Amino acid sequence: MSFDMCAKPFDLDDNAVRWVNDTFNAMTQEEKIAQLFVDMLWNDTGKQTAALLGRYPSGGLRYNNRKPRELYRQNAAAQKNSRIPLLIAANVEAGGNGAMTGGTKIGEGIACAATGDTRSAYEMGLYGCREAAAVGCNWTFAPVVDIDRNWRNCVIPTRCFGSDPDTVLEMALAYMKGANEAGVACCMKHFPGDGCDDRDQHIVTTVNDCTCEEWDASYGKVYQGMIGAGVPSIMVGHIQQPAYSRKLRPGIRDEEIMPATVAPELLQGLLREKLGFNGLIITDATHMVGLTGKMRRSEFLPIAVQSGCDMILYYRDHDEDLRFMWEGLESGQLTQERLDEAVLRVLAFKAMLRLHEKQRTNALMPAEEGLSVIGCPEHRAAAARIIDRSITLVKNSRAQLPITPQAHKRAILYSVSSVSLAARVLGKADKAREYLGNL
């Protein structure tokens, strides 16, 4: 396996390629393995962050959302104490609220799509990532390019851009345009595509049950369009795609069909070869039962990288996870060639963002005064405009409304989290709270 740093999406010049190669050649094996991990910070002080990165020089960070100035100082300490500049990520799915406390929620994906205007998704990407960049983020785990094919799905119906692949692609491209203008790299998710199963990969392995032809015309169309437009990274869900696993691995037994995270036929055969993706592949959170229910952690960490993932989302235990990688190398579950390729892709991704140049000029962090953009009037106005335009008329063509006990002897209430909605339906707020509390 190999890749071209000078091709899309990296497009590195000679100086950037030289930095990647020089940095790689100066790394110890321990540093290479640590570069594969995105760590999670929990309200760390600058001193704690410095000590953590001194011992575990991870390739990237996520963090627990808190006040902007606290995050700014935490991220500044992280970059200051990293020999190799860090990727710092946030879930800017709906706006700056995914990057810090008090950030502007521009609108859920489905709300942006409901406006019928790609400008809504563009502003979600632009304004959300402007706020994220103000605290030092350079990577957004978005857009969500899943497709709502099952109304019972409990993960992505409001987070994605809807059920029409063309709309999902148009909105995702607009989001990426906005994010790029804000200087933040996108990571679309969750390959091979959520939205078919009604279960949640946090608690069970889920399935994308499209035929190969159905997948090509829906999820594949979206992925192909985003890859063609230069999306630089993709997050892999703990989701099986049996049709393509069977097609690309003839004779595979049902019990051998694995979530994409550890399925080389999906990551290499489908994503790399068929779709031509040259960028960075990262796992979804590796604590989810959708993955842990299939393999022991000691097995799936090295196997995920060998299968085609370049980065691992979150440690469980730093020392233990790094040991699992070492043991995978010693046992042959992970080859040195695949490890090196993954590390080179991580470095190329950083060079694409010009982090090496920013580090040299002490510009990895923006000026602290830039925090004033968070929750600014321009962003709040955009959010209000999108929400106003997202209101959708549902026609009462079958005379089913209003719902009353007299006309409807039995009714099922589906509620995500809104007590106020339940209260309006049931008529009494305390009854609604009692009902939801028993779910």
Side-chain angles (χ1 to χ4, degrees):
M1 293 177 285
S2 62
F3 74 104
D4 187 353
M5 290 185 237
C6 300
K8 191 185 291 185
F10 302 114
D11 296 318
L12 300 189
D13 58 25
D14 290 344
N15 288 333
V17 171
R18 189 177 304 111
W19 176 83
V20 170
N21 289 328
D22 289 348
T23 302
F24 177 82
N25 291 331
M27 294 173 73
T28 65
Q29 189 80 320
E30 290 82 357
E31 288 176 316
K32 287 180 181 180
I33 293 173
Q35 276 294 297
L36 303 182
F37 284 88
V38 175
D39 205 350
M40 183 73 183
L41 299 186
W42 292 95
N43 303 338
D44 291 20
T45 64
K47 191 173 183 179
Q48 289 171 323
T49 300
L52 182 70
L53 290 166
R55 186 170 180 184
Y56 309 105
S58 301
L61 298 175
R62 268 279 281 120
Y63 53 80
N64 181 42
N65 283 4
R66 49 181 172 152
K67 293 178 181 178
R69 205 164 298 279
E70 294 174 352
L71 289 176
Y72 180 93
R73 291 169 182 169
Q74 175 182 277
N75 291 339
Q79 292 289 21
K80 181 180 178 181
N81 289 281
S82 295
R83 183 177 72 82
I84 300 172
L86 288 161
L87 295 170
I88 299 181
N91 278 337
V92 193
E93 291 184 11
N97 64 309
M100 76 284 295
T101 301
T104 308
K105 182 176 181 178
I106 303 298
E108 298 282 357
I110 197 64
C112 290
T115 68
D117 186 354
T118 55
R119 180 171 177 80
S120 301
Y122 164 76
E123 291 180 335
M124 182 168 70
L126 176 65
Y127 296 151
C129 289
R130 273 185 188 170
E131 295 190 3
V135 298
C137 288
N138 49 41
W139 197 12
T140 170
F141 289 160
V144 177
V145 297
D146 298 313
I147 301 174
D148 188 9
R149 295 172 63 95
N150 180 349
W151 70 272
R152 293 178 183 268
N153 183 279
C154 59
V155 179
I156 55 89
T158 60
R159 296 165 66 193
C160 74
F161 295 112
S163 58
D164 175 57
D166 292 318
T167 299
V168 173
L169 177 56
E170 289 171 358
M171 293 288 169
L173 288 169
Y175 176 99
M176 185 164 69
K177 181 176 186 292
N180 287 344
E181 290 181 16
V184 175
C186 284
C187 180
M188 66 178 179
K189 58 190 184 186
H190 307 82
F191 179 85
D194 204 340
C196 295
D197 206 326
D198 58 2
R199 299 169 300 168
D200 181 350
Q201 58 263 30
H202 290 82
I203 54 177
V204 67
T205 305
T206 60
V207 178
N208 180 309
D209 61 2
C210 291
T211 65
C212 294
E213 294 74 22
E214 289 171 338
W215 193 92
D216 289 345
S218 54
Y219 295 93
K221 183 176 186 178
V222 174
Y223 282 107
Q224 193 74 79
M226 290 293 287
I227 290 168
V231 69
S233 59
I234 293 176
M235 181 179 289
V236 181
H238 310 311
I239 303 168
Q240 295 174 337
Q241 216 301 315
Y244 259 113
S245 284
R246 293 188 178 106
K247 180 177 181 178
L248 296 171
R249 281 186 61 190
I252 188 173
R253 300 192 304 272
D254 287 351
E255 60 269 25
E256 294 175 323
I257 294 174
M258 290 288 132
T261 325
V262 287
E265 71 276 8
L266 298 181
L267 297 181
Q268 297 173 33
L270 179 55
L271 186 52
R272 293 284 189 211
E273 295 173 21
K274 179 178 172 63
L275 298 179
F277 182 59
N278 186 49
L280 181 79
I281 298 175
I282 182 172
T283 73
D284 204 342
T286 52
H287 303 76
M288 295 183 185
V289 181
L291 181 58
T292 63
K294 288 294 184 180
M295 286 184 189
R296 294 179 182 274
R297 191 171 182 87
S298 57
E299 296 175 307
F300 72 64
L301 285 180
I303 289 175
V305 178
Q306 186 64 30
S307 296
C309 294
D310 303 304
M311 295 194 86
I312 302 292
L313 195 54
Y314 310 140
Y315 294 96
R316 184 181 67 180
D317 177 278
H318 292 75
D319 293 321
E320 186 177 65
D321 285 352
L322 294 173
R323 176 168 57 81
F324 291 157
M325 285 297 191
W326 274 106
E327 291 172 352
L329 279 166
E330 291 168 357
S331 69
Q333 287 178 315
L334 174 60
T335 65
Q336 187 67 46
E337 178 187 16
R338 175 79 265 274
L339 170 65
D340 289 349
E341 183 200 11
V343 174
L344 285 166
R345 265 204 175 87
V346 174
L347 295 175
F349 192 84
K350 294 180 178 186
M352 177 198 73
L353 285 165
R354 301 294 173 188
L355 299 187
H356 60 302
E357 295 177 356
K358 293 179 179 180
Q359 185 182 52
R360 188 168 60 248
T361 58
N362 199 29
L364 282 169
M365 294 294 294
E368 194 166 357
E369 293 75 22
L371 294 174
S372 61
V373 75
I374 297 169
C376 69
E378 179 185 5
H379 296 182
R380 299 289 184 191
R385 184 171 64 252
I386 288 169
I387 294 304
D388 283 345
R389 295 187 61 196
S390 71
I391 297 172
T392 303
L393 174 65
V394 179
K395 293 184 179 180
N396 186 27
S397 58
R398 296 172 64 184
Q400 292 175 314
L401 301 177
I403 296 174
T404 66
Q406 294 75 28
H408 304 84
K409 299 299 182 184
R410 300 181 68 186
I412 299 176
L413 172 65
Y414 287 90
S415 178
V416 177
S417 62
S418 176
V419 170
S420 60
L421 171 62
R424 287 196 297 274
V425 175
L426 295 176
K428 293 184 179 179
D430 18 341
K431 270 198 169 185
R433 291 191 185 93
E434 179 184 350
Y435 175 82
L436 293 173
N438 291 329
L439 289 181

